[in-house]
Amino acid sequence: MEASDIENMNGELERHGSGFSEDRDVIPMREPLLLRKRTMNTTSQIAVVGSKVYPIETLDYEIVENELFKQDWRSRKRVQIFQYIVLKWTLALLIGLGTGLVGFFNNLAVENIAGFKLLLTSNLMLDHRYLLAFGVFAGCNLILAAAAAAICAYIAPAAAGSGIPEVKAYLNGVDAHSILAPSTLFVKIVGSICGVSAGFVLGKEGPMVHTGACIASLLGQGGSRKYHLTWKWLRFFKNDRDRRDLITCGAAAGVAAAFRAPVGGVLFALEEAASWWRSALLWRTFFTTAVVAVVLRSLIYYCRGGNCGLFGEGGLIMFDLSSTITTYSAPDMLVIIVLGVIGGLFGGLYNFLLDRVLRAYSIINEKGPPSKILLTITISLLTSCCAYGLPWLAKCTPCPENLKDQCPTIGRSGNFKNFQCPPGHYNDLASLFLNTNDDAIRNLFSGGTQKEFHMSTLFIFFITIYFLGIFTYGVAVPSGLFVPVILAGASYGRMVGNLLSPVADLDAGLFALLGAASFLGGTMRMTVSVCVILLELTNDLPMLPLVMLVLLISKTVADGFNKGVYDQIIVMKGLPFMEAHAEPYMRNLVAGDVVLGPLITFSGVERVGNIIHALKLTGHNGFPVVDEPPFSNSPELCGLVLRSHLLVLLKGRNFTKERVATGASNVLERFGAFDFAKAGSGKGVKLEDLEIDEDEMEMFVDLHPITNTSPYTVVETMSLAKAAVLFRALGLRHLCVVPKTPGRPPIVGILTRHDFMPEHVLGLFPHLGSHK
């Protein structure tokens, strides 16, 4: 694989530039999930994608300033620069349009499929055919769940889960296997529709983030050659830097489409998803989410005329609480603090249990697709039994007097489900279970409903949703965590509100909102973005100070127990994520401490055979180029040459029989800058594509024109903590380490992402573990 910067020589694995050796008995990975899966000797950083282990590749966001790059920018006219800028904004527009359309049709499909299933079940129950009603309800759920699991297991295993950890890792510089492939996009859309319609306790919000990123990736790399979808006019975006910006826009658009929260989408990308940010990206992301909002508003307005079947109304504000009068006093603040503490405790426990369940499920999932489908079917049957069986425990409640809405509601969603009750009565637990997740949240958030849900109902619903959300997330379907967390949080928010109603003045629906906010803060550990998303969802600006307070308290409490749920999943999957801060023990080390091994370098004019030999024996993606006499007075670091550029140069056979520098003009005649741009997934030149004969192996090639003459370098005495912050802040793939004293070789080694991983550093220096 091209992914790793680890070389394999004489059957012994040696980490490039670090002296890190590895055998079958020593497994320096970070968690048991990878320990169990690492059964073969591998020469690269690995991660769990789907249920299998794949080598991963680090992305390179550095601008390669070689002669070809400089000549390309010098030759660009104002028209071409203008075209480049316009194309960026055009792609932002297309990402917004595509994600908005997908988000709308996702919702349209779920409302109609789930609505038809629930309507059929309700009609059978009105005829007192209760057993048949359960059979239809569970059967529809089973078929939809099996379909979602089958396409996920057989077509795109990477589509399972929410996809937010993978998108977050990609924007950090980690390219895992197939996470943004067209097949993953297809399965994410269809699987999410089937999974949500099947009544699972999951949401489509997380998958929408992944979907937006996949749409952006497909546009950014010029389509897909494998699926015969290519656009050659997108050649300007053949680099990781521009694609990173587009995928950031896609992630923000996904949140905007899922929650109908354009500003919340921008803040989500800024706070949670992106590792690098700048003002130009802020404008493009804001524009993308605005396009999503316009698309959704236009299509929802069209549906209000009854043209979309069972698709609900509600506009852009999904759970409108603006009609509820928001007044709060000093005693209410005490209730808010209680809610925040409860949310932090429940959130920390939720993440702990989810971690354990995911590890247990991985044992089942790695046995193959049939096991994945069987597990999904089992959880589907459990969910159906709970949703249909538990409402039988609730008592029938007389309909409230002077009610504007129909009670009980028949043939549509609402707060007053008839279930098995006589005329004029409703089953409050059925109003939560036998509804789509969006309608259940709307019922919990509804204002002026202080006595519509009994305490026993809220307690049963909370316990069920809390644990079903944990057991559902690990199955092989696209699934999000936002909806289960909001449902559970709104349930205990209402319970706390009912218990403390003698001292609190807030409406029960507002307590549900604050409970949802506290649980989101306790699990996701996001503050600003969640706050804005909830306010855009509910259109209740006066609640801003209370939502802010409850989020801060719940996050602070939960941080004392574990990490956020997405950070935990990143660690569990083995994705080498670079945090914004360095580990404390890295201050006790210097860069030179982890670059003690052999180093492969090339001369400015190198023999072809040496290059081929190095490429075959190593998986390095960057090689230092060192000029020696007669090309320089003494050995000096000329720069860094990339593996992909070497392969393109060798394929062009620009060789000479003598060891002479041909200069940039000779290469510029044969190649353009576009030839060395990064191709899309699986499209680049591979070593097997080269056809070099024996005579050419003894010839020479000038590497100066394709060498990055200004790589980032640090002196060997720089602290490893400082080097880690620099590496992450600049989005690097290679960081050259140069000697402190003269008279030594011009380069000591190269730091790559793997060198900063805690398991690697502590493997070299175990005594530092006590300083963690």
Side-chain angles (χ1 to χ4, degrees), residues 699-719:
M699 299 177 73
F700 296 89
V701 60
D702 187 3
L703 303 182
H704 291 102
I706 63 169
T707 298
N708 180 10
T709 55
S710 57
Y712 287 97
T713 60
V714 296
V715 69
E716 61 182 338
T717 54
M718 176 183 284
S719 72

Side-chain angles (χ1 to χ4, degrees), residues 24-308:
R24 295 176 188 268
D25 299 322
V26 181
I27 307 173
M29 301 309 292
R30 55 177 79 181
E31 289 292 331
L33 188 56
L34 272 180
L35 286 173
R36 186 179 66 251
K37 292 174 178 289
R38 193 178 175 106
T39 56
M40 71 287 193
N41 205 357
T42 179
T43 61
S44 67
Q45 182 84 36
I46 62 172
V48 179
V49 182
S51 60
K52 295 183 179 179
V53 169
Y54 291 97
I56 60 96
E57 183 174 352
T58 300
L59 301 169
D60 192 357
Y61 297 141
E62 180 184 356
I63 295 176
V64 179
E65 292 186 343
N66 54 29
E67 289 298 327
L68 284 168
F69 172 83
K70 295 174 183 177
Q71 178 61 29
D72 179 56
W73 275 103
R74 282 195 294 263
S75 64
R76 286 194 182 187
K77 300 177 181 179
R78 289 186 177 181
V79 175
Q80 292 174 308
I81 296 174
F82 179 75
Q83 179 186 1
Y84 174 74
I85 295 172
V86 169
L87 197 53
K88 278 189 173 183
W89 287 95
T90 303
L91 281 179
L93 172 67
L94 293 176
I95 292 167
L97 287 172
T99 309
L101 289 171
V102 170
F104 171 77
F105 286 111
N106 264 14
N107 214 23
L108 179 67
V110 168
E111 292 278 349
N112 281 280
I113 296 172
F116 175 78
K117 173 192 69 180
L118 294 170
L119 185 61
L120 188 58
T121 304
S122 176
N123 289 337
L124 289 170
M125 293 197 72
L126 289 174
D127 294 336
H128 305 291
R129 302 166 71 179
Y130 300 123
L131 191 60
L132 181 59
F134 173 71
V136 169
F137 179 73
C140 291
N141 287 345
L142 195 66
I143 292 171
L144 291 167
I151 62 172
C152 189
Y154 286 105
I155 299 178
S162 71
I164 291 179
E166 287 82 358
V167 173
K168 186 176 178 180
Y170 184 94
L171 295 177
N172 188 260
V174 179
D175 189 11
H177 179 76
S178 297
I179 60 170
L180 299 176
S183 58
T184 303
L185 172 62
F186 169 77
V187 173
K188 208 75 182 182
I189 295 172
V190 178
S192 179
I193 292 172
C194 293
V196 176
S197 302
F200 279 126
V201 182
L202 52 83
K204 53 186 178 294
E205 288 73 19
M208 272 306 304
V209 175
H210 197 176
T211 298
C214 288
I215 292 172
S217 176
L218 187 65
L219 291 170
Q221 69 177 15
S224 170
R225 184 181 299 174
K226 180 180 178 181
Y227 297 98
H228 305 290
L229 299 170
T230 54
W231 303 285
K232 293 182 179 179
W233 51 274
L234 294 177
R235 65 186 182 88
F236 284 114
F237 298 95
K238 295 292 185 180
N239 62 81
D240 289 329
R241 193 182 186 89
D242 284 329
R243 290 177 188 168
R244 174 194 68 190
D245 291 350
L246 292 175
I247 290 169
T248 303
C249 293
V255 174
F259 291 107
R260 307 177 195 174
V263 179
V266 176
L267 293 175
F268 173 85
L270 172 61
E271 181 182 8
E272 182 68 11
S275 294
W276 298 281
W277 200 267
R278 61 184 191 279
S279 58
L281 181 58
L282 177 66
W283 280 105
R284 275 198 296 277
T285 307
F286 188 70
F287 171 70
T288 305
T289 57
V291 172
V292 172
V294 171
V295 170
L296 289 176
R297 181 176 288 277
S298 302
L299 293 173
I300 291 171
Y301 180 79
Y302 172 77
C303 285
R304 286 179 179 173
N307 302 312
C308 300

Side-chain angles (χ1 to χ4, degrees), residues 423-447:
H425 293 71
Y426 70 97
N427 187 310
D428 57 347
L429 195 53
S431 301
L432 298 176
F433 275 120
L434 293 181
N435 255 326
T436 62
N437 291 332
D438 286 351
D439 285 331
I441 296 173
R442 188 173 289 110
N443 292 346
L444 289 169
F445 280 5
S446 58

Side-chain angles (χ1 to χ4, degrees), residues 107 111 259-260 296-297 299-301 303-305 310-322 413 438-439 442 536-539:
N107 214 23
E111 292 278 349
F259 291 107
R260 307 177 195 174
L296 289 176
R297 181 176 288 277
L299 293 173
I300 291 171
Y301 180 79
C303 285
R304 286 179 179 173
L310 298 172
F311 182 69
E313 297 183 4
L316 284 180
I317 307 300
M318 295 176 68
F319 315 119
D320 195 350
L321 293 176
S322 58
S413 60
D438 286 351
D439 285 331
R442 188 173 289 110
E536 289 187 281
L537 275 175
T538 59
N539 196 29

